[in-house]
Every structure is written in structure tokens, then in C-alpha cells.
Amino acid sequence: MRKAFALGAVAVALVAGSHTILAETAGSNLPLATVDSEPLLVSADMRDGQDLSGTWNWSIDPYRSGIAGFHGETPDRGQQRWLDIDVRKTMAQDNRIMFEFDMAHAQTTALPGSWLAASPELRHYQGLVWYQRHFDAPASRKGRYFLRFGAANYATTVYINGQPLGRHEGGFTPFAFEVTKQLRDGDNQITFAVDSQASANTVPPTVTDWENYGGATRGIRLVHTPDTYVDSAWVRLTKDGKLAVDAHLDGAAAAGQAVRLKVAGLPVDLTGKTDAHGDWKATMAAPRALVRWSPEKPQLYDVSLSAGEDEWHDRVGFRTIERKGADILLNGKPVFLRGISMHEEEISPNPARIITPDNARALLGEIKNGLHGNYVRLSHYPHSEVMTRVADELGLLVWSEVPVYWMVAWENAGTLASARNMLAENILRDRNRASVVIWSVANETPVNDARNAFLRTLVGDVRRLDPTRLVSAALLVERDKGAAVPTMTMADPLAADLDVLSINTYNGWYTPDRLAELPKSVWNVPADKPLVFSEFGADAKAGFHSATNLQKFSEEFQAEYYRQTLAMADRVPSLRGMSPWILKDFRSPRRQNPDFQMGWNRKGLISETGQHKQAFDVLAGYYAAKAEGKGK
Ligand code: GCU
């Protein structure tokens, strides 16, 4: 399957990836799904298919005995969880046979969702879990069928009816395997193993500041397409006022195929023919009637691309985003990003990273309606496609990010290949989302030559895959320790490669600065690029009050921290946005203060159950005033 945007080197390094987690655990002889090899099925959530959510059997395998024997060899039959057999019946018929698993009779759980919610003993389990279910294939099958995972964290190997399909690495982007030939009439069995164990070489590495939710955290579907189908399509408005379409067909009739792009409600009826590789690119002047997408008016259009027997659909907003000097221009006008950061965690006392449309609306609605925001930083990894679709619908601009976080193995070829593939999978999945305006390649990474080269490779990939959006990374700054007031300088060489400069700052929380001192801060940053405060924040336990001495972790301290930090922000001339840390308290095993945290990072403006803290109203008031005043 040739890809118009082949990342060549990615696949080679991944397949040869001697350092990726899969090579260490999963059957590394299975084919690895990457953007160069896998079916992309862009906008698959709009396609016909069979939802395989629901009840699955599961069984832990902490020593990965279903992947490799105790000398690293292929496991014997007694450990092969994916076998297409009835374990009880087989053992009852022949007393020479023994299995140390029985998936069909193992305990059950509901997917999608992290296993930490499946049972209390899995709360802190990091390792490998097997899942299995049976389903009836569609009766009269024609065309092609694909088993698609919205995401599974972190490394996944998949089997159908006892046959291996392949493996995937990366916990936050979709992947699919074609099963057209493997499907049989009636009952079919899917077995997959998810290994959540991070390592020094994974992306992210072992140490982060969030819960590592293992398992199949997003939907699993059997997607149906005609024999030749639209595997990738990208429809957008260009800066010079054209509608543009890039499409790639896959299948026997992909080459020289008549294609037709239509947009409901607009005089768009663009026809053409794919080239010998099944690719089609075309542009046309954008119709005058086109209403551009914006947070204030999130206009979406039903787009269809017909190609032979296939009709690809998506709901697309048309807008432009660009940088002009220190300004960010949305549809040609300066915009100020009134945002906040967010982890992928539903509002719940016991979240399992299940993002349904309702859960996404509950979270993003707090930003749009509660905070009067127009922007959200979906940190620190690609969020569910459900989230970016709801952002399109509600009208929120999105910063989308890959988990190149803190201490990444910059010199490891497999790590770079994983990061590049993850970035490509994210971009190719969401290029049609009007809400996504910034691709971020890193968060708080230490400055050194290997890291600079690694991140510049990622920046280059973004420029190639999507030259229409802005590139950023959350950077750290150097503080002048001898200065009388907080004085920070951006000395990161990567700044030269970015469109938007972004800084995470925690003066007053992780430092002994008096809050009243913060507005006097000095920020030495390049004046010719837009600056975004991608993070600032302070913990507060909802309901803990300390009105007199403003003790840290109190709501009063957090509220005053926001007042003073916002006053500081107002004095930074090139500031064009912010995404304070963070909308909602989130799970982090690093945070263990028994009075306030117990496994939760409490920097949320709302608690894990949605309770507003005082600082919520401070930021809401600030954004409401900004929305009325300058720089909407
Ligand atoms: C860092 C990091 C976040 C973390 C936050 C904190 O800036 O980017 O992932 O949660 O600080 O310390 O709360």
C-alpha cells in the first residue's frame, strides 16, 4: 500500500527498531503497522462499520508468557492466548493437553476503557493484558473489512481466528489491520494484547506526570469499505482563498479512477481522475457563499468525495490560520488564544480515559461556556478523535501534541521512529479538523544537540505533512538568579524553528516568589513571534480554604496565584494566548501529599468531579473581559 506522504525512514527504523518496547516484548516478527504500511482509513468514524465495544474477556500476563517463553523463544501452545480453540473441551478430550489460560472463560470487562477501572487490583498494574471476544461477521460480505482501534496504550499485538494480524506501537493514535480474507461466516474471534509498560525508549518514556492508563482506551470497530476506497482525503481552505483537496485511493481500481468532490450547501462540484498511484490533488476558487469556521461561528459543511463505488464523507470547517510577525491570524484577523490545558480524562471520581461525545462536551463546555474560552491545549498526547470533533462543533481552537515529554531517548533510532510515526498518525487523522491550529512536537525537553536534532526532524515532518498549520513546542526558559525581580530569558535554539513560542512557567508555585512580585516579572523573548504561556498553575484541593495566610493547596492561594500571574501576562507585549495548567484535577502517581493529593495533581480549576474552585471564576472573568475587549 503506497502512501503519498511516505515517511520511509520511519518504517525502516521501526521495523528494525531494536530498542522499541515491542521488539523487547511482543512477537517482533509480526508486521508493525506504521503510516507507511497501515490502512489509514481517514475519517473512519464516519464510515459504515460494526462497533465492537462492549463485553470482552481479559487476562493479565505480567511476564508476557503469551509473547515469549522463559528463554525468549516462541511460547508453547499452553501459553498461546490467541489460539482458535475451546480450551475446556480440548483439555476434557485429551489429558495430555494443558493450557495455562482460557480466554473464553476469563473475567470480563467493558471496552473501551483503561483496565485500571476493570478491577481494583489493576489500579497500579503496568504490563500486558490479553483481551478476547467473539462476534458474528456480516452475513453477505462484499468489499473490504478492517479491524480499527481508536487507540490502545501502549504496544498492541492483534490476532483474528488464531492468526496474527500485526502489531502497533503508540498509545494515542488509531491503527487498523485488514481482515477481509481472515473473516469467516458466522462466529469470529479477536484476541489482542496491550502492553502498557513504558521504558526509557518509548514515547513518552517511563517518567511523566500523568496516569499511564493501560489498555484499549478508545473504540474498536470493524470498518467496511468497497474494494477500492478513499484511504486518505484532506479538504481545506488555502491562504490564497482556494478550496484544496488531496486524496489517496487504495484498491485494484485506485489508478485512473474518476473522482468527484461535493460540499453540501455550496456550489462545489469538483471532478477529476486519480493518477497511476491512486492520488488526486485539485483546487478551485472558494465559493463566495462559503462561511468560514471560527470559534464564534463554527460552521461545518458535509463534504463527500465519490470514487468508483466508494463515497467518503466528513464534516469540515473551512478557515485559515497563519502567523504574521507576532500575531496569530485566524481568517486573516489577529486572535488571542483564551484557553486552558486538558488531559484526556472524563469528569468522574474514577476516570478510565473513556471519552464519549457527552464526556467530551462536558469538558469542552466548561472551557467554551464556563471560562469564555476559544482555545484548548490537548496535552500531552493526541486526544480521542471524539474530542477534536466536538471541538470542531463547539468552536474551540486546538493545540494538538505528541508525548515527546521530558527525558526522551534522543539518540535512539527506534524512539525517533516511534515519535515520527505517532506525529504522522496524529496529523493524518486530524488534518480535516478546523479546530486544530497548532501541532506541538514536545513538552519541557532539556536543550542539547541530540534533542535539537530530534525535534527539528519532527518539525520537518509537520511542515511536509501539513504546511497549513502552525508548529510549536512547550519550552523551558532560563531564569536570572541574581535579578531583583523574576527575570526569564528564552535561550532555547529550537525557538528559531517554531511559529509559536510557548513557555511553561510556575513562578510562585514551584518557586518561593511572593505572588505580589509576579507582575514585576521580566520576560526576554523574541519580539517577532507570538508567545503563548502554554502552562502556569497552582494546586488547590477543592474545599480547602486558607483565607488569611493563603497556604499553598488552598483555593484562596490558587485564586491569588491566577490574579497575579494574569497581571504579569498582561505586561508581556508579544503574548498572544495562554493555556493555564489545567482544566481538571487529574490522576498522577507522582503526587502523594496525604492531605491534598493522594495520586491526584490538583492544579485543576475544577475537581475530578467537576466542582469549581475560586480560581475558575478569576480566569473566567479575565477571558470574558478579553473577549469583549481587544484581541478576541
Ligand atoms: C509541567 C508538565 C506537566 C505537569 C505540570 C505540573 O509543566 O508539563 O505535565 O503536570 O508541570 O507540575 O503540574
Side-chain angles (χ1 to χ4, degrees):
M1 180 182 286
R2 180 196 167 280
K3 297 286 174 195
F5 28 74
L7 288 178
V10 177
V12 171
L14 267 177
V15 170
S18 56
H19 305 293
T20 56
I21 190 169
L22 278 164
E24 289 148 17
T25 55
S28 54
N29 55 335
L30 298 190
L32 189 70
T34 69
V35 290
D36 292 334
S37 64
E38 64 196 343
L40 286 177
L41 292 164
V42 170
S43 311
D45 54 335
M46 304 286 277
R47 278 193 177 279
D48 291 342
Q50 190 171 336
D51 186 354
L52 297 175
S53 303
T55 304
W56 287 70
N57 296 96
W58 63 276
S59 171
I60 65 169
D61 183 4
Y63 299 115
R64 302 174 178 90
S65 47
I67 297 291
F70 48 77
H71 288 159
E73 77 285 8
T74 304
D76 61 43
R77 263 175 68 83
Q79 294 288 350
Q80 295 180 3
R81 273 90 169 151
W82 63 85
L83 291 177
D84 186 17
I85 55 164
D86 179 326
V87 168
R88 278 184 181 163
K89 203 163 137 201
T90 308
M91 285 178 67
Q93 285 169 346
D94 183 340
N95 71 355
R96 295 170 301 165
I97 293 177
M98 181 276 297
F99 294 100
E100 295 190 291
F101 68 89
D102 182 351
M103 291 304 299
H105 299 99
Q107 39 199 335
T108 59
T109 187
L111 291 187
S114 168
W115 60 58
L116 61 70
S119 74
E121 72 261 19
L122 288 183
R123 174 74 184 81
H124 290 296
Y125 178 75
Q126 294 302 338
L128 191 146
V129 174
W130 290 90
Y131 291 93
Q132 188 174 90
R133 70 160 285 175
H134 287 256
F135 70 98
D136 284 344
S140 59
R141 287 190 307 286
K142 64 184 181 60
R144 298 165 73 177
Y145 293 85
F146 300 87
L147 184 59
R148 182 182 187 266
F149 292 74
N153 186 34
Y154 175 83
T156 312
T157 43
V158 187
Y159 303 80
I160 184 166
N161 299 330
Q163 298 306 312
L165 284 173
R167 55 196 179 94
H168 178 266
E169 178 167 331
F172 310 95
T173 44
F175 56 97
F177 299 101
E178 183 160 8
V179 293
T180 309
K181 295 194 178 64
Q182 290 87 341
L183 282 182
R184 61 195 180 197
D185 292 344
D187 176 69
N188 288 264
Q189 176 219 74
I190 295 177
T191 309
F192 67 92
V194 188
D195 192 334
S196 70
Q197 185 61 59
S199 76
N201 300 321
T202 52
V203 180
T206 315
V207 176
T208 68
D209 186 31
W210 69 85
E211 179 71 47
N212 186 33
Y213 285 94
T217 50
R218 299 179 194 161
I220 304 171
R221 291 180 73 225
L222 183 70
V223 177
H224 177 220
T225 73
D227 286 322
T228 293
Y229 73 99
V230 179
D231 188 48
S232 167
W234 180 26
V235 187
R236 71 246 181 230
L237 179 65
T238 67
K239 284 172 200 153
D240 53 0
K242 291 194 174 64
L243 274 189
V245 54
D246 290 37
H248 177 74
L249 273 55
D250 185 88
Q257 179 65 248
V259 287
R260 183 176 192 180
L261 178 79
K262 300 187 79 173
V263 178
L266 289 177
V268 172
D269 191 346
L270 201 50
T271 57
K273 191 171 273 210
T274 57
D275 66 15
H277 301 296
D279 296 328
W280 179 53
K281 288 176 188 279
T283 62
M284 64 177 276
R288 293 176 56 78
L290 182 147
V291 174
R292 291 188 179 210
W293 183 95
S294 71
E296 292 71 31
K297 186 166 180 40
Q299 171 73 42
L300 296 175
Y301 289 94
D302 290 320
V303 175
S304 63
L305 175 58
S306 46
E309 298 172 296
D310 194 22
E311 187 151 290
W312 175 89
H313 289 274
D314 205 340
R315 277 170 58 67
V316 177
F318 296 102
R319 54 109 190 93
T320 59
I321 191 79
E322 55 198 304
R323 171 180 83 87
K324 193 172 174 193
D327 283 334
I328 298 173
L329 304 184
L330 174 66
N331 296 322
K333 296 197 197 83
V335 64
F336 186 92
L337 305 177
R338 307 189 308 273
I340 196 155
S341 296
M342 207 170 88
H343 265 296
E344 184 175 355
E345 242 184 32
E346 65 273 28
I347 295 174
S348 161
N350 186 26
R353 186 164 284 169
I354 303 173
I355 299 299
T356 61
D358 286 349
N359 289 346
R361 282 193 193 93
L363 289 159
L364 297 185
E366 290 283 2
I367 303 171
K368 178 82 180 178
N369 307 317
L371 290 173
H372 311 295
N374 63 1
Y375 171 63
V376 58
R377 178 188 178 202
L378 297 181
S379 31
H380 280 297
Y381 36 75
H383 283 220
S384 166
E385 61 206 342
V386 171
M387 192 72 79
T388 47
R389 277 207 185 279
V390 171
D392 268 16
E393 290 162 18
L394 291 185
L396 283 170
L397 299 161
V398 167
W399 156 306
S400 181
E401 175 170 343
V402 284
V404 177
Y405 183 95
W406 290 356
M407 292 300 289
V408 170
W410 309 114
E411 321 251 0
N412 181 297
T415 303
L416 177 60
S418 295
R420 294 185 71 188
N421 187 60
M422 221 173 270
L423 179 66
E425 286 177 340
N426 185 31
I427 292 174
L428 296 170
R429 185 196 80 180
D430 275 359
R431 279 192 305 194
N432 291 309
R433 299 283 72 76
S435 51
V436 178
V437 290
I438 295 174
W439 299 115
S440 170
V441 298
N443 181 75
E444 294 195 349
T445 51
V447 177
N448 60 57
D449 292 347
R451 166 266 198 184
N452 296 344
F454 190 104
L455 296 188
R456 285 184 177 126
T457 300
L458 297 186
V459 172
D461 286 347
V462 176
R463 301 282 189 217
R464 186 161 35 77
L465 290 167
D466 180 4
T468 71
R469 288 179 172 89
L470 304 174
V471 180
S472 189
L475 306 176
L476 296 170
V477 290
E478 291 174 2
R479 179 161 176 172
D480 175 348
K481 297 210 177 2
V485 295
T487 302
M488 285 61 65
T489 300
M490 176 172 287
D492 191 326
L494 191 74
D497 301 83
L498 304 177
D499 298 313
V500 176
L501 305 178
S502 305
I503 294 174
N504 293 353
T505 172
Y506 284 92
N507 291 343
W509 176 254
Y510 289 121
T511 69
D513 294 287
R514 291 277 174 222
L515 296 182
E517 290 298 299
L518 297 181
K520 300 172 191 160
S521 300
V522 173
W523 292 90
N524 300 316
V525 294
D528 63 343
K529 286 189 177 177
L531 175 72
V532 167
F533 279 134
S534 34
E535 287 183 36
F536 58 78
D539 282 64
K541 176 95 165 76
F544 172 61
H545 296 287
S546 165
T548 46
N549 62 358
L550 290 184
Q551 183 189 330
K552 281 187 175 177
F553 285 106
S554 68
E555 287 198 39
E556 286 78 8
F557 179 93
Q558 188 189 45
E560 183 60 10
Y561 169 93
Y562 266 77
R563 284 186 207 95
Q564 298 299 340
T565 301
L566 293 171
M568 174 196 81
D570 280 344
R571 298 180 57 239
V572 183
S574 61
L575 190 72
R576 296 294 180 271
M578 57 177 73
S579 48
W581 194 257
I582 188 168
L583 173 67
K584 180 186 78 67
D585 292 352
F586 62 96
R587 277 188 162 147
S588 170
R590 294 177 82 236
R591 311 298 180 164
Q592 294 295 340
N593 179 308
D595 296 334
F596 305 113
Q597 296 175 317
M598 287 311 286
W600 292 87
N601 182 312
R602 295 283 181 205
K603 294 190 182 66
L605 296 185
I606 66 176
S607 72
E608 66 273 25
T609 56
Q611 188 182 340
H612 284 203
K613 305 173 193 175
Q614 290 175 15
F616 186 98
D617 294 340
V618 174
L619 187 63
Y622 178 83
Y623 281 164
K626 248 202 189 318
E628 267 98 63
K630 64 176 176 57
K632 262 204 170 196

